[in-house]
């Protein structure tokens, strides 16, 4: 694994959180994106080499809605940049980690992603992400 790609923060009110983080980091949100398959709306801020992803639920059954219900607002996941997500997923599976998806999924910000269950990572939801270089659909990817 390479550097931390971003830190994901679950928020109840995206507009309020954007205002706070823009002020805190003295920058502006450079990208917002909805990921319908995950039921989330995302907003990205860059501070030096570091990236923050704000996550707001777009539906009641979104994983973010469930997280907010259980834990309230706060750090939701830590994402690590990887060169080869398929190889990294195979390595972690082999090592006994519980992966939340069998195949890489399309995440926000042009990334292929996979989540590692917090139970296998000291209570932290870990996201692997690889830059999606080619815009072609993934093998076996399901639309919708
Ligand atoms: Zn993320």
């Amino acid at each position: 694994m390479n550097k931390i790609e971003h830190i994901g923060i679950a928020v109840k009110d995206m507009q309020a959180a954007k205002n706070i983080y823009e002020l805190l980091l003295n920058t502006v949100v450079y990208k917002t994106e909805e990921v319908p398959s995950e039921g989330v709306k995302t907003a990205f801020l860059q501070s030096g080499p570091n990236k923050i992803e704000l996550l707001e639920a777009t539906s009641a059954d979104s994983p973010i809605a469930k997280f907010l219900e259980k834990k309230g607002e706060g750090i939701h996941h830590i994402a690590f940049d990887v060169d080869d997500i398929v190889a990294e997923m195979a390595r972690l599976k082999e090592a006994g980690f519980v992966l939340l998806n069998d195949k890489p999924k399309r995440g926000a910000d042009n990334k292929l992603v996979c989540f590692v269950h917090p139970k296998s990572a000291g209570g932290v939801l870990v996201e692997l992400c690889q830059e999606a270089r080619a815009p072609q659909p993934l093998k076996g990817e399901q639309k919708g």
Side-chain angles (χ1 to χ4, degrees), residues 5-8 42 44 53 55 76-79 108 113 115 127 129:
E5 214 287 326
H6 62 269
I7 294 175
T42 64
F44 288 92
E53 174 185 37
L55 302 145
H76 176 259
H77 64 269
I78 296 180
V113 306
F115 287 94
E127 176 184 5
C129 57

Side-chain angles (χ1 to χ4, degrees), residues 93-113:
K93 206 170 176 180
E94 179 72 29
F97 288 89
V98 178
L99 305 181
L100 295 184
N101 41 298
D102 290 338
K103 292 193 171 107
K105 295 200 287 191
R106 283 194 185 274
D109 205 22
N110 195 38
K111 297 282 192 285
L112 298 176
V113 306

Side-chain angles (χ1 to χ4, degrees), residues 63-142:
I64 296 300
K66 287 175 190 151
F67 179 88
L68 288 169
E69 212 172 279
K70 262 167 81 176
K71 301 194 170 171
E73 290 187 301
I75 293 179
H76 176 259
H77 64 269
I78 296 180
F80 291 92
D81 178 59
V82 299
D83 293 325
D84 182 343
I85 194 166
V86 173
E88 206 57 24
M89 285 169 69
R91 182 182 72 83
L92 293 178
K93 206 170 176 180
E94 179 72 29
F97 288 89
V98 178
L99 305 181
L100 295 184
N101 41 298
D102 290 338
K103 292 193 171 107
K105 295 200 287 191
R106 283 194 185 274
D109 205 22
N110 195 38
K111 297 282 192 285
L112 298 176
V113 306
C114 173
F115 287 94
V116 179
H117 198 289
K119 277 187 185 143
S120 43
V124 176
L125 178 63
V126 171
E127 176 184 5
L128 309 178
C129 57
Q130 180 195 320
E131 191 77 38
R133 289 172 192 96
Q136 294 102 356
L138 280 170
K139 244 186 203 171
E141 182 183 32
Q142 288 182 354

Side-chain angles (χ1 to χ4, degrees), residues 3 5 25-30 44-52 109:
K3 60 170 186 154
E5 214 287 326
L25 302 175
N26 196 21
T27 186
V28 292
V29 165
Y30 69 88
F44 288 92
L45 301 104
Q46 184 94 30
S47 178
N50 305 304
K51 206 196 274 182
I52 299 290
D109 205 22

